[in-house]
Amino acid sequence: MRLEDQVAIVTGASRGIGEAIALAFAREGADLILAARTLADLERVAQKVEMLGRRAIVIETDITDETAVKQMIQRGHEALGKIDILVNNAGVTMFRPVRGIHLDIWERMMAVNLRGPFLCTKHVWRIMQKQGGGVIVNIGSTAGSRTYPHIGAYSASKWGLTGFTKVCAEEGKPDNIRVNIVNPGRVRTAMRDYHFVDDSAPILEADDIVGSVIFLASDDARYVYGQIIEIEHPGPPRK
């Protein structure tokens, strides 16, 4: 198991990509600190983690609130004794042309998709530094390395997350803290289903993301810093 006896925080762990990552980490031997805003869903995921033989700490958290983030990290650290991995997965999206983006939507995108990863990274950094190192994996989007219409606020937040990842990777080298980002394309999740009406084009599943995240979290990527891994469905095969 590539993550045996590691302790990982996964934000947005209550469903979708976050749930898939948490369960994959448990199968690889990690204990989990599960953070999200929906307690009932977190408890459901925690039960699955425990059925895999690993420990799970459930902490209802608003990652846009600095006090809540500090408390989440402190509680998780006290309960499990260390924090080896942080996966900044929580995010929100919205499909709207720039001319129709309300200021509150713009600010919500920046708060969840950019301020949240910043706060979690900031407050886990010192713990990892004292431990002699750690791993941070940010979950971005291909909208953070390419351009698409009608997702201006979302794209701006994810481009920001890509830049933030690059800076943290450089700052992390002296502290043995590795920081990288996984940028998926379209993924079938409840959040996407709520906001988008898709045609029959192929789409990724949440489980398609976890292999790259496990790789970056493991010693297999011990010399990988500041890299962008894009994951995108290639489309239907040629006939």
Side-chain angles (χ1 to χ4, degrees), residues 34-239:
L34 305 173
R37 292 179 301 161
T38 50
L39 186 59
D41 285 340
L42 283 177
E43 290 174 341
R44 175 183 56 80
V45 177
Q47 289 179 349
K48 293 182 180 180
V49 169
E50 290 165 354
M51 288 176 64
L52 292 167
R54 306 309 305 181
R55 293 178 292 175
I57 304 299
V58 168
I59 306 177
E60 188 175 8
T61 309
D62 177 358
I63 62 164
T64 70
D65 183 320
E66 185 164 21
T67 298
V69 169
K70 289 170 67 176
Q71 290 174 346
M72 177 268 290
I73 291 171
Q74 182 179 355
R75 283 180 56 194
H77 186 241
E78 289 174 350
L80 297 179
K82 60 176 182 172
I83 299 173
D84 302 293
I85 304 162
L86 166 65
V87 179
N88 284 312
N89 166 74
V92 292
T93 189
M94 177 64 68
F95 188 78
R96 192 163 294 181
V98 170
R99 66 183 180 276
I101 299 174
H102 295 276
L103 180 59
D104 59 342
I105 292 174
W106 178 274
E107 291 181 341
R108 181 63 178 164
M109 292 286 169
M110 299 304 152
V112 177
N113 296 350
L114 199 50
R115 186 202 306 167
F118 156 67
L119 291 174
C120 292
T121 298
K122 173 186 175 181
H123 290 292
V124 83
W125 196 281
R126 187 166 295 178
I127 291 172
M128 290 182 173
Q129 190 178 45
K130 288 181 178 179
Q131 291 173 173
V135 176
I136 299 171
V137 181
N138 294 321
I139 306 300
S141 167
T142 53
S145 48
R146 310 181 198 177
T147 54
Y148 305 98
H150 297 162
I151 52 171
Y154 179 75
S155 185
S157 69
K158 293 301 186 179
W159 275 86
L161 184 60
T162 298
F164 179 68
T165 300
K166 293 281 191 179
V167 171
C168 289
E170 291 303 313
E171 294 186 6
K173 288 177 181 178
D175 294 326
N176 192 33
I177 298 173
R178 294 189 290 103
V179 189
N180 295 282
I181 187 167
V182 174
N183 282 352
R186 301 184 314 149
V187 182
R188 193 187 319 278
T189 64
M191 180 176 71
R192 183 179 180 86
D193 290 346
Y194 179 81
H195 288 288
F196 298 95
V197 177
D198 284 314
D199 56 19
S200 58
I203 190 170
L204 297 167
E205 303 295 338
D207 285 339
D208 294 325
I209 312 306
V210 302
S212 295
V213 181
I214 290 170
F215 164 71
L216 290 174
S218 74
D219 283 344
D220 291 343
R222 59 188 175 277
Y223 300 127
V224 179
Y225 290 82
Q227 297 304 302
I228 303 168
I229 296 181
E230 288 195 352
I231 305 173
E232 190 165 37
H233 200 293
R238 292 180 181 176
K239 294 183 180 179

